């Protein structure tokens, strides 16, 4: 994660490209009508959560990378609730009241109630990553926590409470240093398996620290041994089997941070992208049976366009240019740009960060949570990027980096380019904290996407989307029958005249976070959708035609078969 702060000697071309792009993007920014606007409504929500990273003052590396959050409907009442992960007391630390994760019930109109105690989700482990899905197919959403220390699987009891079923399920995963995690169907058998990323092998006895400008600072992950990630196959009876070795996953050791599972090559099975810190990214290509080959270097997603490994943090997935192929956007450490990997087909990607302007303003400080979403409902996907330094004392040894920074928003111009409109996107984008995980969802059910941000050592930021305009939208819920209950892994295409959009249902994404089992599509001026096509994991295809905009619809597998 730690970088020297200097670019390579062969970077003159890079600088010239950047200079030109800054000019172009400045011009575009002046000309663009930045209609996207966010308002900070945190103080009105009733949310009292405050994040802790352990605050040991001993510079333990896990303090820097906590934590993600989950946006999901835990009580099946039709709105999106918030689950914040928290750090915990580290060795030698004592608390009167130990930090814990907190669940907030959405009561509507951006009002929330803390239901942690009654729900049973107040885990006191050191929280890092989280994924949500109905792993047991009983109709409600369960929660998996990827901690520093033992992991936890909470089964939803269907009455607003959760039970710890980790031991029974067999997914405690030892006592490791967690990161991102995802539910996915690796073998198209209709139930959900579990990918568990790991960061480094940490020991208090072999703890590393460094000195920056005469001050103690957090170390790089390269000071530690790298672990292999874990993959668990769902047995269909509430238990899982560790298939890390036979699947091919365990052959690779890395510094996993953000993870997302997606069918990037459109072959009908789910692949896995792992954003590794200070080394190449992994792209695990699925052969359809749950066996994986690591193809990141061949595919073009292992390094940036200079062939350099980056301090990768989070990864978002979406079809930003509406060409029917899923692209990846990866955040990174300080003195590095974020990276947009454009899917060019045939299993290949191209780093188009500078050509698209999607990294402008991301260079100086670390970036973390990220995701694609159509914030202005104009029919293309914008990008949100959370930022903030991990060194709380960074200003003591750097005159260009700060601990607190603004988050960034990139508006999609519709022609394959992005403009950083943070300055014009409302007072909510003026908040300066040190952010980590984010979630993107329509929190007030008004048809546009809002933002929830977890901030290190501070209260969260809740951003209400106050974008004006007359653009239309559709929200789609999937209900699997032969495939998994949530439709995770399904591809959904929405066609309105000359506009065709693709999205996929994911469990686990961004930086160690979860959001988006319900898909949202902006429709621009279109009041009607000509065609919705759902390709389910397992091969079923459903088609709906002539659907009105501005509503939430549920599509059940097999009820609208392709003709």
């Amino acid at each position: 994660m730690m970088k020297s702060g200097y670019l390579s000697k062969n970077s003159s071309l890079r600088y010239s490209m950047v200079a030109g792009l800054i000019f172009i993007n400045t011009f575009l920014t002046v000309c663009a009508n930045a209609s996207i606007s966010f308002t900070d409504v945190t103080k009105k929500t009733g949310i009292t959560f405050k994040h802790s990273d352990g605050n040991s003052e001993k510079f333990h590396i896990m303090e820097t990378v906590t934590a993600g959050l989950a946006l999901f409907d835990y009580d099946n009442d039709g709105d999106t609730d918030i689950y914040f992960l928290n750090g915990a007391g580290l060795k030698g630390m004592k608390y009167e009241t130990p930090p814990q994760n907190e669940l907030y019930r959405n009561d509507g109109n951006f009002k929330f109630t803390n239901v942690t105690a009654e729900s049973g989700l107040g885990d006191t482990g050191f929280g890092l990553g989280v994924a949500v899905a109905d792993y047991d197919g009983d109709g409600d959403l369960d929660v998996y926590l990827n901690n520093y220390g033992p992991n936890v699987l909470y089964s939803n009891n269907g009455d607003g409470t959760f039970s710890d079923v980790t031991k029974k399920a067999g997914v405690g995963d030892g006592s490791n240093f967690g990161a991102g995690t995802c539910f996915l169907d690796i073998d198209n058998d209709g139930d959900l398996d579990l990918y568990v990323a790991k960061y480094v092998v940490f020991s208090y006895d072999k703890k590393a620290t460094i000195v920056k400008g005469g001050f103690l600072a957090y170390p790089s992950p390269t000071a530690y041994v790298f672990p292999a990630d874990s993959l668990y196959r769902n047995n269909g009876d509430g238990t899982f089997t560790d298939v890390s070795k036979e699947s091919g996953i365990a052959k690779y050791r890395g510094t996993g941070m953000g993870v997302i599972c997606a069918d990037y090559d459109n072959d009908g099975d789910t692949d896995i992208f792992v954003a590794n810190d200070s080394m190449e990214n992994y792209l695990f290509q699925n052969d359809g049976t749950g066996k994986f080959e690591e193809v990141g270097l061949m595919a073009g997603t292992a390094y940036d366009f200079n062939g350099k490994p980056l301090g990768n943090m989070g990864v978002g997935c979406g079809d930003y240019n509406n060409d029917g192929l899923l692209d990846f956007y990866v955040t990174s450490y300080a003195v590095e740009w974020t990276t947009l990997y454009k899917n060019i087909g045939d299993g290949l990607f191209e780093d188009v960060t500078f050509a698209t302007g999607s990294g402008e303003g991301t260079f100086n400080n670390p970036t973390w949570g990220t995701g694609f979403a159509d914030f202005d409902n104009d029919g293309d996907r914008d990008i949100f990027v959370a930022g903030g330094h991990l060194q709380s004392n960074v200003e003591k040894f750097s005159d260009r980096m700060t601990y607190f920074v603004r988050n960034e928003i990139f508006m999609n111009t519709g022609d394959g380019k992005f403009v950083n409109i943070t300055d014009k996107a409302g007072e909510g984008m003026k908040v300066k904290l040190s952010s980590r995980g984010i979630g993107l969802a329509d929190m007030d059910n008004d048809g546009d996407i809002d933002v929830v941000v977890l901030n290190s050592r501070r209260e969260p930021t809740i951003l209400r989307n106050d974008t004006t305009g007359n653009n239309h939208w559709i929200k789609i819920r999937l209900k699997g029958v032969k495939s998994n209950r949530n439709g995770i892994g399904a591809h959904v295409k929405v066609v309105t005249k000359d506009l065709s959009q693709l999205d996929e249902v994911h469990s686990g994404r961004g930086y160690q976070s979860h959001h988006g089992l319900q898909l949202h599509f902006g429709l621009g001026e279109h009041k009607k959708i000509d065609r919705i096509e759902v390709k389910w994991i397992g091969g079923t295809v459903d088609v709906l035609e002539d659907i009105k905009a501005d509503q939430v619809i549920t599509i059940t597998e097999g009820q609208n078969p392709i003709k």
Side-chain angles (χ1 to χ4, degrees):
M1 187 181 297
M2 296 296 299
K3 305 295 174 185
S4 66
Y6 299 96
L7 295 176
S8 66
K9 295 179 180 179
N10 298 320
S11 59
S12 58
L13 175 61
R14 184 170 184 164
Y15 270 120
S16 63
M17 290 176 64
V18 173
L21 285 163
I22 289 174
F23 171 80
I24 293 170
N25 281 312
T26 301
F27 175 77
L28 286 172
T29 302
V30 172
C31 296
N33 178 16
S35 59
I36 299 173
S37 181
F38 289 100
T39 302
D40 179 5
V41 296
T42 310
K43 292 181 179 179
K44 302 176 182 179
T45 62
I47 293 172
T48 57
F49 172 79
K50 184 177 180 180
H51 176 261
S52 171
D53 63 5
N55 300 87
S56 69
E57 298 183 357
K58 296 181 183 297
F59 294 90
H60 297 309
I61 190 172
M62 70 283 290
E63 296 174 2
T64 67
V65 293
T66 173
L69 62 86
L71 303 183
F72 71 110
D73 185 1
Y74 86 96
D75 52 2
N76 280 335
D77 67 349
D79 51 30
T80 301
D81 311 296
I82 308 176
Y83 187 50
F84 294 107
L85 270 60
N86 214 344
L90 300 171
K91 187 176 181 179
M93 296 292 295
K94 294 182 179 180
Y95 293 87
E96 271 190 36
T97 303
Q100 64 175 355
N101 299 347
E102 293 185 9
L103 177 66
Y104 286 84
R105 185 187 66 224
N106 190 336
D107 298 325
N109 197 30
F110 281 97
K111 302 295 183 183
F112 294 84
T113 298
N114 189 333
V115 293
T116 306
E118 52 264 50
S119 71
L121 280 182
D123 186 65
T124 56
F126 198 98
L128 292 164
V130 59
V132 174
D134 183 4
Y135 82 92
D136 51 6
D138 64 353
D140 46 45
L141 294 173
D142 313 297
V143 178
Y144 185 75
L145 300 177
N146 193 5
N147 293 331
Y148 165 62
N151 294 345
V152 184
L153 175 61
Y154 286 104
S155 178
N156 193 326
N157 300 318
D159 59 359
T161 68
F162 292 78
S163 297
D164 182 346
V165 296
T166 313
K167 186 175 181 180
K168 175 187 174 183
V171 291
D173 204 50
S175 185
N176 293 298
F177 194 144
T181 185
C182 298
F183 284 100
L184 72 158
D185 185 354
I186 63 172
D187 47 9
N188 294 351
D189 65 350
D191 52 31
L192 289 170
D193 312 297
L194 180 64
Y195 190 92
V196 183
K198 300 184 183 73
Y199 189 42
V200 297
V201 178
F202 177 86
S203 168
Y204 286 105
D205 298 331
K206 298 179 180 179
K207 181 177 73 72
T209 55
I210 61 172
V211 176
K212 299 279 289 184
F215 297 92
L216 280 178
Y218 289 103
S220 163
T222 57
Y224 297 92
V225 173
F226 299 167
D229 296 343
S230 298
L231 182 63
Y232 293 93
R233 186 186 67 233
N234 193 327
N235 298 322
D237 59 359
T239 68
F240 292 78
T241 298
D242 188 338
V243 294
S244 307
K245 290 183 179 179
E246 51 263 55
S247 67
I249 297 298
K251 290 192 298 184
Y252 298 90
R253 295 180 176 273
T255 49
M257 292 284 266
V259 182
I260 198 161
C261 300
D263 182 8
Y264 75 90
D265 50 5
N266 287 346
D267 64 351
D269 52 46
T270 304
D271 313 295
I272 304 168
F273 188 111
V274 182
N276 285 316
D277 186 0
S278 301
M279 60 175 288
E280 71 271 19
N281 298 315
Y282 289 150
L283 182 60
F284 292 109
Q285 185 180 48
N286 193 340
D287 71 354
T289 70
K291 302 290 177 63
F292 293 86
E293 179 184 3
E294 203 290 296
V295 299
L297 181 60
M298 294 184 292
T301 57
Y303 306 105
D304 71 358
F305 82 97
N306 277 331
K308 290 180 58 180
L310 302 177
N312 304 294
M313 305 292 196
V315 54
C317 179
D319 181 9
Y320 81 91
N321 55 351
N322 290 336
D323 65 351
L325 300 168
L326 293 172
D327 313 293
F328 295 113
Y329 187 84
V330 184
T331 53
S332 57
Y333 190 61
V335 198
E336 296 175 352
W337 281 278
T338 56
T339 308
L340 176 58
Y341 293 105
K342 176 184 176 182
N343 192 332
I344 58 176
D346 296 323
L348 301 175
F349 290 81
E350 178 184 2
D351 179 352
V352 295
T353 309
F354 297 114
T356 60
S358 59
E360 182 195 351
T362 64
F363 184 74
N364 279 346
N365 285 289
T367 49
W368 302 83
T370 190
F372 290 95
D374 189 353
F375 294 112
D376 50 5
N377 285 334
D378 64 349
D380 49 45
R381 298 187 181 277
D382 314 296
I383 302 173
F384 193 95
V385 177
H389 215 285
L390 57 88
Q391 305 280 5
S392 57
N393 60 347
V394 65
E395 284 112 1
K396 293 181 179 180
F397 51 82
S398 174
D399 58 3
R400 67 186 303 182
M401 304 177 196
T402 56
Y403 182 57
F404 292 149
V405 303
R406 295 184 314 176
N407 298 322
E408 307 281 343
I409 185 165
F410 295 87
M411 185 176 70
N412 193 326
T413 61
D415 59 356
K417 302 290 193 303
F418 291 89
V419 177
N420 188 328
I421 60 165
T422 305
D423 288 338
K424 297 184 177 183
E427 57 87 14
M429 297 305 297
K430 296 178 181 178
V431 176
K432 288 186 177 182
L433 291 169
S434 186
S435 301
R436 296 297 185 265
I438 69 164
L440 309 176
D442 184 0
M443 302 302 296
D444 53 355
N445 290 333
D446 66 347
D448 54 34
I449 297 294
D450 311 295
V451 183
V452 180
V453 183
L454 185 144
N455 299 307
S456 180
R457 302 185 179 186
R458 292 289 295 269
E459 72 281 356
T461 304
I462 316 298
L463 297 177
R464 185 183 66 210
N465 190 338
D466 287 334
T467 301
T468 58
N470 298 314
N471 287 336
H472 301 280
W473 53 272
I474 188 81
K475 290 192 287 187
I476 299 172
R477 296 173 179 154
L478 298 186
K479 184 177 180 181
V481 177
K482 293 181 179 179
S483 62
N484 67 84
R485 187 71 174 256
N486 309 123
I488 291 167
H491 276 201
V492 179
K493 183 185 294 185
V494 172
V495 180
T496 50
K497 294 185 179 179
D498 57 344
L499 177 63
S500 179
Q501 301 180 70
L502 172 71
D503 204 359
E504 180 177 332
V505 184
H506 304 287
S507 170
R509 59 167 67 191
Y511 181 72
Q512 302 183 163
S513 295
H514 169 91
H515 59 94
L517 292 179
Q518 180 175 273
L519 300 183
H520 174 276
F521 293 86
L523 303 174
E525 63 184 11
H526 302 290
K527 298 179 180 180
K528 185 188 74 170
I529 298 166
D530 297 326
R531 177 183 174 94
I532 298 176
E533 180 178 292
V534 181
K535 292 184 178 179
W536 303 81
I537 288 289
T540 303
V541 179
D542 282 290
V543 172
L544 285 75
E545 296 180 333
D546 196 20
I547 304 104
K548 288 198 304 183
D550 305 324
Q551 62 170 325
V552 182
I553 65 170
T554 298
I555 301 176
T556 301
E557 184 179 12
Q559 287 195 356
N560 302 276
I562 190 169
K563 298 178 182 178

